[in-house]
Amino acid sequence: MRRCLTNIDTISIVDYPYLISAWQSLSPINKTFFLLFCGVSIYTISLSVHVLLVLRSFKMQRVSKNANPSRPPLAILGKRLWNLRQLHLFALYLFGFCIVVQIPNVFRVGGDSKGYPFHAITSELAFFFYCDAIIFLVFTLLHTVQWFVSARVDSFASMQND
């Protein structure tokens, strides 16, 4: 039998103290990358929606007036998508740089422990790999969106050539 929760306060979708502590544990270069990555994500989504809306308006224009849309807007859209690919590549290289910079910091373990710091090192590595896996997943999703929109522009351009 399923329980139905009626109180919104009992549902915790995001654990805010965990996010705050995760943000505070990041280095300044990782915080900068994260902010840049958020900007790239927002730009990717907004550009993709814009391109799809322009293609839809071209399609509606072609159906209603039976006129060919001008070629320069398609060329401009193609160039903007090419620049978006370059921006994704730059962000990916910057992400790799951040990974390389943060790995040596994992092995800096403080304290007066006489035992081996294996647990501290593995927990730090697990945290970085967990965060990096999420970023790679979002990179994959952004690239998929960009690839889909680019394929739509190419198919529209090939229909115009026929």
Side-chain angles (χ1 to χ4, degrees):
M1 187 168 148
R2 298 175 99 182
R3 275 182 36 192
C4 181
L5 295 175
T6 58
N7 188 359
I8 276 289
D9 295 333
T10 61
I11 300 173
S12 177
I13 295 173
V14 179
D15 190 11
Y16 290 111
Y18 175 73
L19 289 177
I20 291 171
S21 66
W23 177 258
Q24 291 172 347
S25 68
L26 291 177
S27 67
I29 193 167
N30 289 331
K31 289 178 184 178
T32 304
F33 169 76
F34 182 75
L35 293 175
L36 176 110
F37 187 66
C38 288
V40 168
S41 301
I42 291 169
Y43 179 71
T44 298
I45 299 300
S46 65
L47 180 64
S48 299
V49 168
H50 171 73
V51 168
L52 289 175
L53 289 175
V54 167
L55 287 179
R56 184 171 183 229
S57 71
F58 280 165
K59 195 178 285 188
M60 295 300 222
Q61 192 178 49
R62 193 177 91 189
V63 168
S64 66
K65 298 180 183 176
N66 200 9
N68 288 334
S70 59
R71 300 244 185 252
L74 284 178
I76 291 170
L77 292 177
K79 287 180 182 179
R80 288 184 75 184
L81 289 170
W82 175 255
N83 289 339
L84 183 63
R85 281 185 219 118
Q86 296 300 314
L87 182 64
H88 287 175
L89 191 60
F90 168 74
L92 186 64
Y93 285 149
L94 184 63
F95 180 58
F97 175 74
C98 290
I99 289 174
V100 169
V101 167
Q102 74 187 2
I103 290 295
N105 293 335
V106 169
F107 298 103
R108 292 187 187 152
V109 179
D112 295 335
S113 175
K114 294 184 181 184
Y116 293 110
F118 183 72
H119 178 66
I121 292 172
T122 55
S123 65
E124 284 290 319
L125 280 174
F127 172 74
F128 285 133
F129 289 151
Y130 175 74
C131 293
D132 294 346
I134 293 171
I135 299 271
F136 272 121
L137 176 67
V138 176
F139 261 125
T140 303
L141 293 175
L142 289 176
H143 180 71
T144 303
V145 167
Q146 181 269 325
W147 175 77
F148 173 76
V149 172
S150 183
R152 296 289 298 169
V153 168
D154 291 343
S155 69
F156 192 79
S158 68
M159 285 188 333
Q160 294 301 315
N161 290 334
D162 294 338

